[in-house]
């Protein structure tokens, strides 16, 4: 049954990547092309890694539990691109973007260590991983949101919705982890795989479309990212 969910994940991500790729190719300007290209690679990376799981790669038996460690390869490659998508829309400085990406990478890396560790040591690493998530949560919901709202006063609701959806979706991942075989083993392997697959599709392809809709609203308000402003803020 897990293989069916891996196939759904692979094909769903591939379809999303195809749509984003076509959109990037036909983009009316460079600003749209940047956003579509980021989302193309987010979905394409996930599609390839789901293909790996579908064909039986990236899985090992770790302390008597079947562990799909390849998921963390997907996440550590794709989630920084999601952070870049969010910071691109908000016109965030390079320094703050780096802090967000750093917290994200540390969250994924320590989550991987938790997954590969025996119980109860894995719970210590799980808590550390959640700590980095909380740091990222704070930075996005407070500093990022306030800075984006200050730069885009007519689009405050756009960023509130974008960040709320982003954080709620990412909050579900540690819940699945603690309920699955890596944690309390409260749900079956099939339920765990289905939950991760559906969540990945929503958090990557679905969130990609939300980002595009957010960009459209910014564009209509005359507050969409301008390349000159993005680069100058990045340098500063």
């Amino acid at each position: 049954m897990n293989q069916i969910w891996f196939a759904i994940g692979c094909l769903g991500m591939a379809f999303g990547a195809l749509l984003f790729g076509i959109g990037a190719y036909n983009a009316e300007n460079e600003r749209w092309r940047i956003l579509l290209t980021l989302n193309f690679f987010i979905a394409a990376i996930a599609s390839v890694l789901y293909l790996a799981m579908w064909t039986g790669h990236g899985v090992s038996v770790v302390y008597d539990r079947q562990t799909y460690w390849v998921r963390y390869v997907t996440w550590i490659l794709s989630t920084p691109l999601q952070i870049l998508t969010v910071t691109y829309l908000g016109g965030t400085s390079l320094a703050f973007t780096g802090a967000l990406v750093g917290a994200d990478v540390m969250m994924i890396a320590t989550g991987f260590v938790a997954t590969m560790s025996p119980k109860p040591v894995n719970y210590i690493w799980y808590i550390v991983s959640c700590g980095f998530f909380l740091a990222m949560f704070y930075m996005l919901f407070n500093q990022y949101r306030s800075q984006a709202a200050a730069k885009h006063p007519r689009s405050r609701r756009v960023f509130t919705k974008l960040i709320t959806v982003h954080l709620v979706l990412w909050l579900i991942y540690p819940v699945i982890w603690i309920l699955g075989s890596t944690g309390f083993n409260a749900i079956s392997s099939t339920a765990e795989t289905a939950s991760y697959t559906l969540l990945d599709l929503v958090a990557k392809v679905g969130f990609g479309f939300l980002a595009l809709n957010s960009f459209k609203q910014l564009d209509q308000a005359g507050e969409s990212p301008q390349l000159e402003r993005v680069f100058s803020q990045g340098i500063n």
Side-chain angles (χ1 to χ4, degrees):
M1 192 64 185
N2 283 349
Q3 301 306 113
I4 295 176
W5 283 108
F6 294 147
I8 291 172
C10 177
L11 297 175
M13 293 295 184
F15 182 67
L18 178 64
L19 294 179
F20 293 136
I22 292 173
Y25 181 80
N26 297 313
E28 58 187 50
N29 56 55
E30 193 68 13
R31 293 175 298 128
W32 276 101
R33 186 170 291 111
I34 290 172
L35 186 60
L36 284 158
T37 300
L38 285 170
N39 283 286
F40 164 78
F41 279 107
I42 290 167
I45 289 168
S47 177
V48 170
L49 271 298
Y50 266 100
L51 177 61
M53 290 190 287
W54 188 8
T55 55
H57 296 86
V59 58
S60 303
V61 176
V62 179
Y63 300 105
D64 296 326
R65 61 179 183 266
Q66 193 175 44
T67 302
Y68 291 94
W69 53 263
V70 75
R71 284 195 180 105
Y72 291 87
V73 177
T74 308
W75 294 335
I76 208 162
L77 292 174
S78 61
T79 56
L81 296 181
Q82 291 186 286
I83 295 294
L84 290 179
T85 297
V86 171
T87 56
Y88 171 66
L89 290 171
T92 310
S93 69
L94 181 59
F96 191 69
T97 299
L100 286 170
V101 171
D104 172 57
V105 170
M106 289 300 294
M107 175 186 70
I108 302 299
T110 52
F112 172 75
V113 175
T115 298
M116 304 301 287
S117 298
K119 298 177 181 179
V121 175
N122 64 334
Y123 295 122
I124 297 175
W125 286 102
Y126 172 77
I127 293 171
V128 173
S129 180
C130 288
F132 282 111
F133 172 75
L134 290 175
M136 189 171 56
F137 186 105
Y138 176 81
M139 286 189 288
L140 282 171
F141 204 76
N142 287 277
Q143 294 152 287
Y144 170 84
R145 192 166 61 110
S146 61
Q147 291 175 15
K151 294 174 183 177
H152 309 86
R154 296 188 296 275
S155 306
R156 293 175 180 269
R157 292 183 179 180
V158 172
F159 288 101
T160 298
K161 180 179 180 181
L162 184 73
I163 294 306
T164 300
V165 172
H166 177 74
L167 291 175
V168 167
L169 288 173
W170 280 27
L171 183 61
I172 300 174
Y173 282 99
V175 174
I176 297 174
W177 192 97
I178 200 67
L179 292 177
S181 60
T182 44
F184 300 146
N185 207 21
I187 57 177
S188 67
S189 174
T190 300
E192 182 181 352
T193 299
S195 298
Y196 275 129
T197 302
L198 293 174
L199 182 56
D200 271 344
L201 286 168
V202 175
K204 291 179 173 61
V205 178
F207 186 78
F209 283 110
L210 175 61
L212 293 175
N213 183 64
S214 299
F215 187 98
K216 182 179 179 180
Q217 293 182 59
L218 292 174
D219 218 12
Q220 291 172 344
E223 295 183 332
S224 60
Q226 302 298 319
L227 295 183
E228 300 83 0
R229 184 173 58 192
V230 170
F231 291 138
S232 65
Q233 288 173 343
I235 294 172
N236 295 330

